[in-house]
Amino acid sequence: GEKVEQHESTLSVREGDSAVINCTYTDTASSYFPWYKQEAGKGLHFVIDIRSNVDRKQSQRLIVLLDKKAKRFSLHITATQPEDSAIYFCAASSGGSNAKLTFGKGTKLSVKS
Amino acid sequence: AQTIHQWPVAEIKAVGSPLSLGCTIKGKSSPNLYWYWQATGGTLQQLFYSITVGQVESVVQLNLSASRPKDDQFILSTEKLLLSHSGFYLCAWSPGHLNERLFFGHGTKLSVL
């Protein structure tokens, strides 16, 4: 089955700098790649997603890049703010009737002011 | 607007005792429903999914069961808790199409002692 590896378990940046979180996946059939944010003790909140028909997507300060050849995707948070501090999960969907998402292990991002 | 409500927010239970966790989705008919489990400090693992009332598919065997008695309700249960059941349980829904984003509830923290 699909495996998603999230390379950074922790990441610390200064306010205003950019943060980059990298993920790789194994299943070439994966076509949907969302990112979620989790604050302490809370559920997951959707951040941004990208589908395999594009290689870049931007939503305000968030940019997602997808390299299908390398089976790699990344989340770029520009001009970071303290409220960006949270755990970020990447995920990949290998399709199927249940649209099962396979998650990475999460990256704890700390933005220091 | 759609809302998802999970109950209870937290539970402390004894090993061997029964458990029932619930999830209700309002504002969306015939959603796909999911249960995810997150070990403390860990990633998320899909446990069950349901595409329609009365039909539930098991993804992993953890001595848990799930049911969908109504279109907007998803129940996770077991008759006998194990220590390994401790963690964070998240209910989620999706619109019912392939590869669509998941909307998560706030989660239930379960501690089995």
Side-chain angles (χ1 to χ4, degrees):
Chain A
E2 172 72 280
K3 288 183 173 53
V4 175
E5 185 174 350
Q6 199 160 342
H7 296 267
E8 299 83 8
S9 57
T10 60
L11 183 60
S12 183
V13 300
R14 288 192 177 179
E15 184 177 359
D17 288 350
S18 291
V20 182
I21 303 171
N22 296 283
C23 291
T24 51
Y25 61 98
T26 58
D27 189 347
T28 53
S30 288
S31 58
Y32 177 63
F33 307 90
W35 289 84
Y36 289 86
K37 176 181 179 181
Q38 185 178 36
E39 296 173 357
K42 296 187 179 179
L44 271 70
H45 179 69
F46 173 82
V47 173
I48 190 170
D49 58 10
I50 190 167
R51 299 181 191 277
S52 58
N53 59 340
V54 296
D55 53 21
R56 185 182 191 277
K57 183 175 179 179
Q58 181 165 1
S59 174
Q60 298 181 318
R61 296 187 295 109
L62 304 174
I63 301 170
V64 180
L65 302 178
L66 174 63
D67 181 344
K68 293 187 291 290
K69 196 171 180 181
K71 288 188 276 188
R72 181 173 58 216
F73 59 114
S74 57
L75 174 67
H76 299 244
I77 307 173
T78 62
T80 53
Q81 300 168 0
E83 52 265 36
D84 293 329
S85 297
I87 298 174
Y88 290 82
F89 290 92
C90 63
S93 174
S94 55
S97 59
N98 72 332
K100 180 185 173 190
L101 285 177
T102 300
F103 284 85
K105 291 187 176 182
T107 297
K108 184 174 182 179
L109 173 65
S110 300
V111 179
K112 300 187 187 307
S113 55
Chain B
Q2 300 88 6
T3 59
I4 177 169
H5 175 63
Q6 271 189 255
W7 73 91
V9 173
E11 279 267 45
I12 299 174
K13 303 280 280 186
V15 169
S17 62
L19 174 77
S20 181
L21 305 180
C23 173
T24 299
I25 291 85
K26 296 298 182 187
K28 174 64 184 172
S29 62
S30 305
N32 283 5
L33 298 177
Y34 309 85
W35 277 110
Y36 277 82
W37 174 69
Q38 184 180 29
T40 303
T43 191
L44 295 99
Q45 187 170 26
Q46 190 182 91
L47 301 177
F48 299 93
Y49 70 93
S50 171
I51 295 174
T52 190
V53 175
Q55 289 186 16
V56 177
E57 300 295 329
S58 174
V59 179
V60 294
Q61 284 298 326
L62 283 180
N63 293 310
L64 296 167
S65 60
S67 63
R68 187 171 177 176
K70 302 178 187 177
D71 186 52
D72 63 353
Q73 196 173 74
F74 208 18
I75 306 295
L76 182 71
S77 61
T78 183
E79 292 187 1
K80 208 170 182 182
L81 278 166
L82 307 172
L83 285 173
S84 57
H85 286 138
S86 292
F88 199 49
Y89 289 83
L90 289 152
C91 179
W93 70 273
S94 70
H97 304 290
L98 293 177
N99 295 340
E100 287 292 337
R101 73 177 68 164
L102 295 182
F103 298 88
F104 285 86
H106 54 72
T108 295
K109 183 175 181 181
L110 174 66
S111 300
V112 182
L113 307 176

